[in-house]
Amino acid sequence: MSRRPTRSGAFTLIEVLLALALLAGVTGGALGLLGNLSLRQEQIRVHHDRAIDAGLVIDRLEGALTTSFAADASGEAGVRGDDHSIEVRSRGVVGHAGVVAGDRRTLALHWNAGTRELEVNFDADGVEGAGEILPSPVERLRLRYFRGARWRSSYDSARAGELPSAVEIAIWFARPDEERVVEPGVPDDIEALLDQAEAEAAGDEPPTRAPDRLRVMVIPDAPSVSWEVGG
């Protein structure tokens, strides 16, 4: 009785399973790498867009502060604000978006803790008021005013009789996993009220991490004595 010859080139079932497992592992690793690269690319894009948005807001505020005044003829403050908002009146002849306007201009920033929106409003003689909201959610906005050798959380230049020596603005953008997601069927106003309640419950302290954007703007027409006193 003769034996049937075996095929030396054939694969066993175990070899096939091992090859499939190896292929699945390599494919999974490649997909994971591509996913990480895509996520990293998206993070870079978001960071770039936020840097541009915040830079434009800060530059506009700094420009208004350089031509501001303590008070106008009617007694209105040139710089008035607290740690969440600021209103700056200034002199100039060029209005919003390059439109020629009158001499008076007003720039206002306001951060809404409930909706995490940073509102920017501009008004000038001869120009209809324009307003916009920063596209990226802002976790926290902090404004401080330097006068009398210390930083203050609020300021009124008409009441003080002079401009602050400097204004500091710090912006913390919301992290991707912290950005507000509106659930289907939930009205925006209800969602905003829930967010506001959460913000109030969490307190009003700024985040412990460093701000995403920080700038100290020195006002040229402000008294220099504050810097000389020290302390």
Side-chain angles (χ1 to χ4, degrees):
M1 185 174 180
S2 60
R3 294 183 178 181
R4 297 180 60 183
T6 59
R7 295 176 56 188
S8 59
F11 293 102
T12 65
L13 179 59
I14 295 178
E15 290 174 334
V16 172
L17 292 176
L18 287 176
L20 291 176
L22 180 60
L23 179 61
V26 172
T27 303
L31 292 176
L33 178 59
L34 290 176
N36 290 335
L37 289 176
S38 177
L39 178 60
R40 181 58 179 168
Q41 185 178 20
E42 178 65 15
Q43 290 174 343
I44 293 175
R45 185 194 65 79
V46 171
H47 180 76
H48 176 264
D49 292 345
R50 289 178 171 183
I52 292 178
D53 294 337
L56 292 174
V57 171
I58 294 175
D59 289 344
R60 190 178 298 180
L61 175 61
E62 188 169 26
L65 289 170
T66 57
T67 56
S68 188
F69 43 80
D72 60 15
S74 62
E76 288 288 339
V79 177
R80 178 172 54 201
D82 52 29
D83 62 339
H84 289 171
S85 60
I86 186 172
E87 185 176 82
V88 180
R89 291 180 172 82
S90 59
R91 298 178 289 265
V93 294
V94 179
H96 182 70
V99 179
V100 176
D103 185 62
R104 294 187 306 171
R105 298 185 293 178
T106 302
L107 176 68
L109 306 181
H110 174 70
W111 175 67
N112 189 317
T115 61
R116 296 185 179 183
E117 293 177 342
L118 178 57
E119 304 169 9
V120 184
N121 292 283
F122 178 86
D123 192 13
D125 292 340
V127 175
E128 184 177 354
E132 57 187 87
I133 296 176
L134 207 66
S136 302
V138 175
E139 180 182 350
R140 182 66 157 81
L141 173 73
R142 185 189 67 196
L143 290 156
R144 298 197 301 172
Y145 313 85
F146 191 84
R147 177 177 179 266
R150 69 182 181 89
W151 289 100
R152 304 167 185 265
S153 60
S154 62
Y155 197 82
D156 188 314
S157 60
R159 185 177 302 174
E162 60 185 20
L163 290 167
S165 299
V167 174
E168 178 194 78
I169 181 171
I171 300 176
W172 287 266
F173 286 108
R175 296 294 176 87
D177 56 345
E178 297 173 347
E179 295 183 5
R180 182 168 65 94
V181 178
V182 179
E183 297 180 0
V186 180
D188 288 344
D189 54 346
I190 296 179
E191 190 70 18
L193 290 176
L194 293 175
D195 283 350
Q196 185 173 5
E198 291 177 2
E200 292 174 354
D204 198 28
E205 293 297 324
T208 55
R209 69 178 190 273
D212 296 293
R213 291 302 300 267
L214 175 68
R215 186 181 298 181
V216 177
M217 296 162 281
V218 178
I219 302 178
D221 292 340
S224 60
V225 65
S226 295
W227 300 110
E228 299 170 357
V229 171

